[in-house]
Amino acid sequence: MKQPIYRRKGWQITFGGIVVLLIAAAVFFFVFLNQSADKKAKRVAESFTTNLKEGKYKQLAQDVTTDSLKEVGFTKKRLQEKYQVVYGGVGVQDITVKNLKVKPGANSRIYDLSYELSMRTSLGKLKTQTYKTTISKAKDEDEWKINWKPALIFPGMVADDKVRLETDEARRGDIVDRTGKKLATMGNFYEVGVVPKLLASGDEKAKRIAAISKEIKVPGSEIEEALEQKWVKKDSFVPLKTVFDGVTSDLTGIAYSQKVLRTYPLNQASAHLLGYVGEVSAEDIEKNPQLKVGDVIGKTGLERYYDKDLRGESGGTIKIVNDRTKHETTLQKVARKDGKAIKLTIDADLQQKTYAGLAKETGAATVINPQNGELLALVSTPSYDANQMAAGIRTEDYKRYNEDKRMPFLARYAARYAPGSTFKTITAAIGLDLGVTKPDKVRDISGLKWQKDASWGKYSVTRVHEKAHVNMVDALVYSDNIYFAQEGLEIGAERFEKELKKFNFGEKYADLPIEMKAAQISNEGLKSEILLADTAYGQGQLLMSPIEQAALYSAIANGGKTVYPKLTVSQKAKAPQQAVKKKSADTVKEALIKTVSDPNGTAHALAVSGKNLAAKTGTAELKQKQGEDGDENGFVYAFNADQPDVLLVGMVEDVKGRGGSSLVIDHLKAVIADF
């Protein structure tokens, strides 16, 4: 049979051609719809996993089918809450989606979805989890959504499962002294508080609170405020204060709870050095997202510097549990790693004794082994109660510390001061090495004031003891400013600065776990003769911390070699640097011995029978302008000339009118006498 032919203005279509066209259109339409469905299914899969990754659980709930939620007894709100409780409870973060796959399923209304999630929990990185579900299209709707089930939270979960985190807290490592004596450790203490139902009511309650307030030294208003907290019930233990001195009170209403806290056996004596620990703040967590609320970290001092090593890594177990079936599945298990111990070169007994000597003053002391640089004691006064800080200091007590003009939080052994006359030993050693200074060289000096010439205007260098003919030994024994000003001018600024660098002057001591600015010789260089002269006897714009002074002065006790300060036993020791010739250092040392032994010597108060001590005192005047009077800081440095393995640099602020540098000797004489 012939097919009909349709003709129209030069072209014709057969019936068979129409069929072919219709089939092609149907195929095209089918492919188009499938491609559109593919895109929509993939889009919802990406939306779901992106919201999951970003913790947007409310938006995530919009990507799931209502039927799948009904099937497991959930609502969108409950789904949102379930994710928040489970993921929040185990500290889920850093979710990464991998291998996201969307494939056509058993029929045109189903797609198979699979993906992997890697994440971190409170216990660290969790093994990559594999998830599978389907994507379906609701009847008479154009939207494709995820068929949700509890196993999409963690594989294997069912509707009434719970996720529990059992933590095994790491023990914070100890900080110990050179002999292993504990300077910072974990200890058992008691928290004192009240139980509301034991306080009775009315007038009787007021009486009991007043008695407890007096007993534990906490204002009654604070006790009342603590009792009004929302979580407090009649039989709750309401903590008020940590007790360090034992449990002694039996007042009605009072109660105690044992707790483990960081403790510092030397307390105030080592507070600046060790610092203290405390609970993390929001700022801490922002800086380190691996921290969580309630974690305890080092806040200041060595506790902060070595926090990562000291803190260790807590362990624990995350389990999927079902209270109904008693079934448990371990999702993650991590063994705890206790913190490492940090061993210092510090001698605990010497630290305590040095602190006791300065405790009533505003000052500092550094004790060093001048042979190898080991720091044996670092003391700053006034201090603060480190145990109280670690336990949680009351706002009023912290405010009192913070507003104290003596700045009890300042670590003065690392703060910079003009060193005063103790620095003359370095000028003498440099002068001897250069041949400018000679033991028998005499300078004729008249009166107590001197200036080079009229170009100095009204400014003069002054001295305390009048002596017409002065050699180097005399100048150190009597601490003659004029002699060293003249020696400094003869050495010259360029040579003086160059030689000073051989003592590691200005070294940043990057290996030392202490924040400290490098020593400075001047603000902008020794640009004037007056500044050079003042610097030569330890004034001018010269600034050094007691640690830096101790390191430089070690050369006088160590045959001309200056050491690098070292605080931890594990710190790699650097070989001492030859700053001046041994002969030059020994010549200065002999003069310092005489400074102690000579009845007229400025350090004669340190003379101890049977001890061959070498020492130098110093007084640094604090003035806004040259020629003005100011407050004074007193210094002393001393060592045993026969057995120079301990060297002390001590200072006290504001000694003017209180005895000057002799006041420092009075406070530290008992320490130095043991050298």
Side-chain angles (χ1 to χ4, degrees), residues 355-547:
Y355 173 78
L358 288 176
K360 295 180 180 180
E361 294 289 349
T362 300
T366 295
V367 184
I368 195 171
N369 183 330
Q371 308 297 314
N372 56 25
E374 291 182 350
L375 291 164
L376 305 175
L378 289 172
V379 167
S380 181
T381 56
S383 189
Y384 60 89
D385 190 328
N387 286 324
Q388 187 183 40
M389 296 294 288
I393 189 169
R394 295 170 61 239
T395 302
E396 290 179 7
D397 292 331
Y398 184 83
K399 183 179 180 182
R400 188 159 45 249
Y401 279 135
N402 208 38
E403 294 178 354
D404 189 334
K405 293 180 180 179
R406 296 172 67 203
M407 296 185 290
F409 290 131
L410 176 63
R412 286 176 165 80
Y413 52 75
R416 300 190 304 179
Y417 298 86
S421 295
T422 57
F423 190 76
K424 292 171 182 173
T425 57
I426 301 301
T427 302
I430 289 174
L432 287 166
D433 234 34
L434 294 173
V436 172
T437 304
K438 298 177 182 178
D440 56 353
K441 173 184 170 183
V442 175
R443 286 189 179 274
D444 296 326
I445 303 172
S446 177
L448 298 177
K449 292 185 177 182
W450 172 84
Q451 61 176 203
K452 182 185 175 184
D453 52 42
S455 67
W456 284 22
K458 295 180 180 180
Y459 184 73
S460 298
V461 176
T462 62
R463 61 178 181 171
V464 176
H465 300 281
E466 185 169 358
K467 187 174 174 63
H469 310 292
V470 187
N471 61 28
M472 186 206 76
V473 176
D474 295 330
L476 287 171
V477 170
Y478 292 97
S479 199
D480 195 308
N481 291 345
I482 296 175
Y483 176 90
F484 282 103
Q486 293 179 358
E487 290 291 291
L489 290 174
E490 189 171 339
I491 291 170
E494 186 176 343
R495 286 201 297 177
F496 191 76
E497 290 192 67
K498 181 180 178 182
E499 294 299 311
L500 198 53
K501 288 181 180 179
K502 294 179 181 179
F503 289 82
N504 295 326
F505 186 91
E507 175 77 33
K508 292 184 178 179
Y509 298 124
D511 294 338
L512 205 60
I514 294 173
E515 291 185 15
M516 183 172 64
K517 288 185 178 181
Q520 74 161 39
I521 194 167
S522 63
N523 296 335
E524 298 177 350
L526 298 175
K527 296 183 176 180
S528 73
E529 289 184 328
I530 291 177
L531 186 55
L532 172 59
D534 283 348
T535 303
Y537 62 86
Q539 290 269 185
Q541 297 167 356
L542 184 64
L543 293 174
M544 302 169 67
S545 70
I547 290 178

Side-chain angles (χ1 to χ4, degrees), residues 618-659:
T619 304
E621 190 173 16
L622 313 178
K623 34 189 173 180
Q624 297 298 317
K625 297 179 180 179
Q626 290 175 328
E628 290 184 351
D629 288 335
D631 294 331
E632 294 177 350
N633 294 331
F635 291 85
V636 64
Y637 97 80
F639 59 92
N640 187 323
D642 294 334
Q643 192 177 349
D645 56 1
V646 182
L647 182 152
L648 176 145
V649 172
M651 64 82 60
V652 172
E653 292 183 10
D654 191 21
V655 296
K656 190 172 185 178
R658 299 198 298 138

Side-chain angles (χ1 to χ4, degrees), residues 305-324:
Y305 189 92
Y306 291 111
D307 182 65
K308 187 176 181 180
D309 289 332
L310 289 166
R311 186 156 33 98
E313 297 177 13
S314 293
T317 305
I318 296 176
K319 294 180 179 180
I320 299 174
V321 299
N322 191 299
D323 293 334
R324 178 176 55 82

